[in-house]
Amino acid sequence: QVQLVESGGGSVQAGGSLRLSCAAYGYTYSVYFMGWFRQAPGKEREGVAVIDSDGSTSYADSVKGRFTIFQGGAKNTLYLQMNSLKPEDTAMYYCAADERGGMTAIQALGFFGYHYWGQGTQVTVSS
């Protein structure tokens, strides 16, 4: 079992920055993929960024060049550095993790059957 706890959300003006954190507890050595997903009111959940155990990453087109996903030294903490935030980035952001491989990071971005999910952290960007 893996437990995920997100933090770092908040309210910011357009153009600002936030860094989200996701602390992983439990059998973290088994994790292959970790990622950030978001869901805005009335919209479907979408993949934002994922990283695999080899460090390969994939990003949604809407955040490329603005967001960076990375892990802490022990890979027990996942981060999402968000710069140049836009009002359309407003959403609940979720951290996810899974032990299974067998797909590319690009495929993992569009996969929503992750075994483990955090409780979410709200990001609100005002214009």
Side-chain angles (χ1 to χ4, degrees):
Q1 291 289 325
V2 175
Q3 295 80 42
L4 304 173
V5 180
E6 302 105 330
S7 61
S11 297
V12 64
Q13 289 191 325
S17 298
L18 283 173
R19 177 177 290 186
L20 304 184
S21 300
C22 172
Y25 303 94
Y27 293 104
T28 59
Y29 62 88
S30 65
V31 170
Y32 190 85
F33 280 110
M34 292 193 77
W36 290 97
F37 296 77
R38 67 186 181 187
Q39 188 165 19
K43 295 187 176 181
E44 294 185 350
R45 186 169 294 193
E46 64 173 340
V48 177
V50 298
I51 187 168
D52 70 17
S53 59
D54 295 326
S56 295
T57 59
S58 182
Y59 295 89
D61 289 343
S62 59
V63 307
K64 282 181 181 177
R66 300 188 297 123
F67 291 11
T68 303
I69 187 171
F70 61 101
Q71 293 175 295
K75 296 188 177 181
N76 288 335
T77 305
L78 181 71
Y79 299 96
L80 185 69
Q81 177 65 42
M82 304 186 295
N83 299 327
S84 302
L85 282 160
K86 303 176 180 180
E88 51 263 43
D89 294 319
T90 295
M92 184 71 78
Y93 284 70
Y94 298 91
C95 175
D98 203 289
E99 313 94 325
R100 296 167 290 181
M103 55 184 165
T104 65
I106 294 175
Q107 292 169 328
L109 192 63
F111 176 67
F112 301 108
Y114 284 70
H115 279 158
Y116 309 108
W117 291 86
Q119 81 287 353
T121 185
Q122 178 68 37
V123 172
T124 302
V125 184
S126 58
S127 57

